[in-house]
Amino acid sequence: MKKKSFQLFASSIAFLLALNVPVAYLNTVHAAPVEQQQEDNEEVEIGEAVVPQEVITIEKTSDKVEPEIQEKQTSVETPENPETTEEETIVESPEVIYTYVTVNEDSLLFEPNNTTKALLQLNDSSTIYHVNRTDNVNWYELSIGHSTYWIARENLSEANIEVVKPEVKKTVSFTTKKSFKIFNEPSTNSTVLAAGTQATKLKTINIVDNYFVVNIGNQTGYIAFKDVELSFKSTDKVEIANKSVTLYTVTNSKFKKIGTLKKGAIFKPTKTTSKYHYIKKSGKQYAVPIAGTMPTKKASSLSTLKSATYPITLYAEKASAVYDQNGIKIGSLNKGQTVHLKGISKGHGIIEYLGQSGYVDLTNYYHKNIVNPTKNVTYKAYSYYVKVFAKLYPEFTSLEKIGESVEGRAIYALRVGNGKKEILVDAAIHAREHMTTNVVMEMIDNYSYSYNKKTSFAGYNVRQTLDTTSIWFVPMINPDGVTLVQNGINSMANKNLIKKINKSSKYKRWKANARGVDLNRNFDGEWKYVPFKPKTYKGYKGPRVFSEPEAQALKAFVERHKFKSDISYHSSGQILYWFNFQNSANYKRDLALTRQISRVTGYSIIPPLYARGSGSSADWFIMSQKKPGITVEIAPYAGEGPVSHRHWNNVWKKNKSIGLLASKEASKR
């Protein structure tokens, strides 16, 4: 068989060469028999149709040497697959793969791989969505609220505009009601993007007033709160979902607006009704409307209510924000609302808010009365109060720590007023004379209130007076000694030394500091001439002038300023000291001021004694500053102990205006 085929092939080649046929055609001349082709093919896929080789006929013409080659088109029919049934449809893969599309109006969305029942319907044909291919060429994926749905390819039209995925700001899982709508804006009057026909679990990308925000194919969709199942269990806490929700107090079934709760605030209600969440704390009842809230398992925004060591009532000067302990705004209080200050932390006031601790900017508040002068004002109380005043009124006060005591207690000075001229008012340099702290603190209390409210006090225009000459108050120069007298020996660190010095259990008589130095004998009003007395509860002038940290602190403070006067408060005798060898001009000036004070207080003026040597702070001030230094003894002689509080009303009546009097007098110099 092979020998005959070769001979036939050779004869064909010779014939073609004689006709000058191009070599390129030679390979197509011979068509081997089918059997030969099958023998020569080493591999043939199963089910592949073998098509017979086409025979080329070449005719010689009288005009041309080269033959005309004609090709015959051969049609090959694919045999039918006998296994194909009528139910199967073979669909070619679409040439275009969609990413951004518009949809036919009323296109249905299904659960993946389950296209028997529609879950949602897309209503708007103009919105462009992002879709993804599925393994089934007839269906695409569309994401709504972190859930995936299938949509038929036949409902899609390619869009050449990219839509950017919206930012995720707040993720919350929720369940819709059986019937719900997704809008393209936070308004039920806006375009409906989709409508659902059964309760559906979704996740938000944000929450805005009255709407959950979802991602719908990279578009932003809005589902109204009314279309969401919001069931509050007794174990749930409540989160504010709207920008703000009104906060009420409820008294005898009467609702009063006091402020708002802000978006993200979380609280635990006492009970929930169909319209309100109620919170009952510290004898008060609050109400928050359910509309605009949602249940949550998160921790409450507010921390446990801090008890107040020194309770203070404040009033909102204007609408004031309330923050949690992390500085996040959680609510507000309306102008005029009363709050109870529990303390100060990191520059903010801690108030009672919904029965727990809220944080506020104290500059938004004012006081009416802070100090209770009918009781002892302790070191801790005065230290706290001056900080509160400084936080309330930074626009016209300034707080300065001018030093520390022997045992490390702070000595504070507080300025009231913005006058460039200044006077000094100090108190409690003697431990048992701590009622003088009450006088000075009550001045601060009343003067700052009147300044803030632009009202008069004791016949003085307070703001005008203190904006000409401000007052620096040092309410307690000897905090260690005052603490010993008020709280006893166990309040002191230097117990053994104090016991040794005192030689008695009667600590109410103590005048000195914690080292037994009488601070009003430690200043240099010609200290070297002050008679020496042994160390005891009073009268010891110290090992050297200005040996004590308290005296050093006041000295340095005075030397940093240019005070026009010093009014130094002491407690016993109802008398006024003013003389320390002034020259004639200063003598007349200082006596004139002393007489003004005497006319108001009724206190007697002590005539010049011409006794050389003093360690008092006022005498040192007269000599070093060449300005008036008036020692004011506020009460009848009390013996070896503090002035009784039964004298308070009379003491305050006589002294309430003295700071303003001295300020006004100094303004003329």
Side-chain angles (χ1 to χ4, degrees):
M1 178 68 180
K2 289 182 179 180
K3 183 176 181 181
K4 290 181 180 180
S5 297
F6 177 77
Q7 290 174 348
L8 179 59
F9 175 75
S11 299
S12 300
I13 293 300
F15 174 75
L16 291 172
L17 289 174
L19 294 176
N20 293 322
V21 175
V23 177
Y25 289 105
L26 296 180
N27 292 329
T28 64
V29 171
H30 176 67
V34 172
E35 296 85 357
Q36 180 66 41
Q37 290 177 358
Q38 289 175 340
E39 259 183 60
D40 292 343
N41 289 337
E42 295 180 359
E43 296 182 5
V44 177
E45 294 184 10
I46 298 174
E48 180 181 353
V50 180
V51 182
Q53 290 283 354
E54 182 179 343
V55 178
I56 299 174
T57 304
I58 303 174
E59 297 181 1
K60 183 178 179 182
T61 65
S62 58
D63 297 329
K64 295 182 180 179
V65 176
E66 295 183 3
E68 179 180 322
I69 301 174
Q70 296 179 346
E71 296 184 359
K72 295 181 179 179
Q73 299 295 330
T74 305
S75 175
V76 181
E77 293 183 1
T78 303
E80 291 184 358
N81 187 344
E83 297 179 359
T84 302
T85 66
E86 292 181 359
E87 296 178 348
E88 290 180 318
T89 304
I90 299 175
V91 180
E92 295 182 356
S93 242
E95 295 182 358
V96 179
I97 298 174
Y98 295 147
T99 302
Y100 301 101
V101 299
T102 57
V103 301
N104 294 339
E105 193 169 330
D106 300 332
S107 296
L108 300 179
L109 298 178
F110 299 87
E111 182 182 349
N113 293 306
N114 183 4
T115 58
T116 57
K117 181 181 179 182
L119 303 179
L120 291 97
Q121 177 177 291
L122 295 178
N123 295 69
D124 184 56
S125 61
S126 63
T127 301
I128 298 174
Y129 299 103
H130 175 271
V131 295
N132 292 310
R133 295 180 67 190
T134 69
D135 293 336
N136 188 322
V137 295
N138 293 322
W139 297 88
Y140 271 72
E141 287 181 347
L142 177 72
S143 176
I144 300 178
H146 292 67
S147 295
T148 300
Y149 299 89
W150 275 19
I151 182 170
R153 184 183 184 281
E154 64 186 10
N155 287 325
L156 307 180
S157 298
E158 185 179 18
N160 293 319
I161 300 175
E162 180 180 356
V163 285
V164 179
K165 187 176 183 180
E167 181 183 359
V168 178
K169 294 182 178 179
K170 186 177 182 65
T171 302
V172 172
S173 298
F174 67 97
T175 302
T176 68
K177 293 182 178 178
K178 290 183 178 180
S179 176
F180 66 96
K181 293 178 181 178
I182 304 176
F183 299 90
N184 73 335
E185 292 180 7
S187 169
T188 53
N189 294 323
S190 62
T191 301
V192 177
L193 299 179
T197 57
Q198 69 176 41
T200 304
K201 290 185 177 180
L202 300 172
K203 286 186 179 180
T204 67
I205 57 172
N206 198 12
I207 300 174
V208 299
D209 277 6
N210 300 308
Y211 289 87
F212 288 105
V213 186
V214 296
N215 180 344
I216 173 169
N218 282 10
Q219 294 288 350
T220 302
Y222 299 85
I223 302 175
F225 284 175
K226 66 181 183 64
D227 284 349
V228 175
E229 290 290 353
L230 295 174
S231 57
F232 294 91
K233 300 177 182 177
S234 60
T235 56
D236 286 337
K237 296 182 182 68
V238 175
E239 181 173 355
I240 304 301
N242 277 2
K243 185 177 181 181
S244 66
V245 173
T246 303
L247 174 64
Y248 299 89
T249 54
V250 184
T251 306
N252 297 325
S253 301
K254 293 183 179 180
F255 286 67
K256 179 184 177 182
K257 293 181 182 179
I258 64 167
T260 61
L261 285 173
K262 298 298 181 183
K263 183 175 182 177
I266 299 170
F267 63 91
K268 182 70 173 69
T270 305
K271 68 175 182 177
T272 296
T273 65
S274 60
K275 291 184 177 181
Y276 292 96
H277 304 289
Y278 290 93
I279 307 157
K280 193 170 184 179
K281 293 276 188 177
S282 305
K284 289 186 177 181
Q285 189 172 42
Y286 305 88
V288 179
I290 283 184
T293 68
M294 62 183 183
T296 184
K297 301 295 184 183
K298 297 178 187 176
S300 294
S301 301
L302 299 170
S303 55
T304 302
L305 181 63
K306 180 179 179 179
S307 60
T309 306
Y310 307 104
I312 294 175
T313 300
L314 299 176
Y315 307 86
E317 192 99 61
K318 54 188 175 182
S320 174
V322 182
Y323 303 87
D324 68 11
Q325 59 188 340
N326 298 315
I328 299 172
K329 187 175 180 179
I330 58 172
S332 69
L333 288 170
N334 294 341
K335 179 180 178 180
Q337 290 305 308
T338 301
V339 300
H340 300 291
L341 185 67
K342 302 298 182 179
I344 298 175
S345 176
K346 298 178 182 179
H348 282 80
I350 306 171
I351 65 166
E352 181 180 341
Y353 188 68
L354 298 180
Q356 295 179 283
S357 292
Y359 296 76
V360 297
D361 181 351
L362 288 177
T363 62
N364 295 325
Y365 294 81
Y366 69 95
H367 82 291
K368 292 181 180 179
N369 180 51
I370 288 179
V371 180
N372 180 1
T374 63
K375 297 181 179 180
N376 287 344
V377 177
T378 65
Y379 162 73
K380 289 182 178 179
Y382 118 82
S383 299
Y384 176 61
Y385 292 153
V386 293
K387 292 173 185 175
V388 172
F389 284 118
K391 293 296 181 184
L392 286 171
Y393 310 117
E395 67 275 18
F396 66 86
T397 67
S398 179
L399 181 65
E400 183 178 337
K401 178 182 173 182
I402 66 172
E404 291 184 351
S405 66
V406 169
E407 293 197 353
R409 293 179 176 88
I411 302 170
Y412 291 106
L414 180 71
R415 188 198 80 232
V416 179
N418 289 317
K420 292 184 179 180
K421 295 180 180 180
E422 298 173 334
I423 67 168
L424 172 65
V425 176
D426 63 69
I429 197 168
H430 280 148
R432 71 190 188 193
E433 299 177 20
H434 53 76
M435 184 180 277
T436 59
T437 296
N438 297 41
V439 172
V440 170
M441 291 302 299
E442 190 70 354
M443 284 183 181
I444 294 171
D445 202 346
N446 284 274
Y447 296 178
S448 59
Y449 171 81
S450 295
Y451 187 107
N452 181 60
K453 289 299 181 181
K454 300 180 183 179
T455 59
S456 295
F457 179 76
Y460 289 87
N461 182 324
V462 175
R463 179 169 289 206
Q464 184 181 66
T465 301
L466 297 182
D467 277 351
T468 303
T469 303
S470 55
I471 305 175
W472 277 96
F473 295 98
V474 182
M476 193 178 289
I477 299 174
N478 185 6
D480 290 350
V482 170
T483 301
L484 172 63
V485 172
Q486 291 179 341
N487 299 330
I489 189 63
N490 290 328
S491 64
M492 306 302 291
N494 298 329
K495 293 184 182 69
N496 293 334
L497 176 62
I498 293 169
K499 287 178 180 178
K500 182 179 179 181
I501 294 170
N502 196 46
K503 297 183 175 65
S504 168
S505 60
K506 297 178 180 178
Y507 295 104
K508 297 291 184 183
R509 66 181 185 172
W510 192 272
K511 294 181 73 175
N513 72 353
R515 282 204 289 240
V517 176
D518 188 325
L519 294 176
N520 213 41
R521 300 290 184 273
N522 198 235
F523 288 81
D524 193 9
E526 294 200 320
W527 177 85
K528 63 183 178 181
Y529 297 112
V530 177
F532 176 82
K533 292 182 179 181
K535 187 179 291 188
T536 181
Y537 65 91
K538 68 173 184 178
Y540 173 56
K541 70 176 187 177
R544 61 190 178 278
V545 68
F546 293 118
S547 62
E548 302 311 293
E550 299 91 343
Q552 294 168 14
L554 188 61
K555 175 179 182 289
F557 179 62
V558 168
E559 290 174 344
R560 290 196 299 271
H561 293 262
K562 295 181 180 179
F563 293 121
K564 294 288 185 178
S565 302
D566 172 27
I567 308 299
S568 184
Y569 272 103
H570 291 250
S571 71
S572 291
Q574 298 185 113
I575 52 180
L576 303 172
Y577 294 97
W578 62 279
F579 175 78
N580 195 23
F581 298 95
Q582 298 96 319
N583 62 32
S584 59
N586 291 349
Y587 180 102
K588 292 179 181 178
R589 178 201 63 198
D590 298 358
L591 180 57
L593 173 58
T594 307
R595 284 172 174 166
Q596 289 184 55
I597 295 173
S598 177
R599 282 194 291 269
V600 173
T601 61
Y603 299 160
S604 301
I605 300 173
I606 299 298
L609 298 178
Y610 296 100
R612 197 140 196 185
S614 172
S616 84
S617 62
D619 285 346
W620 166 77
F621 185 89
I622 293 169
M623 295 187 70
S624 65
Q625 305 302 306
K626 310 301 182 187
K627 300 291 192 302
I630 315 297
T631 299
V632 182
E633 301 277 3
I634 62 172
Y637 182 68
E640 295 279 62
V643 173
S644 170
H645 285 290
R646 65 187 175 86
H647 293 293
W648 168 254
N649 289 338
N650 188 49
V651 167
W652 177 240
K653 181 180 178 180
K654 293 176 181 293
N655 287 275
K656 63 184 180 181
S657 66
I658 297 305
L660 296 171
L661 183 155
S663 173
K664 194 170 184 68
E665 186 276 336
S667 68
K668 301 172 183 177
R669 296 189 270 118

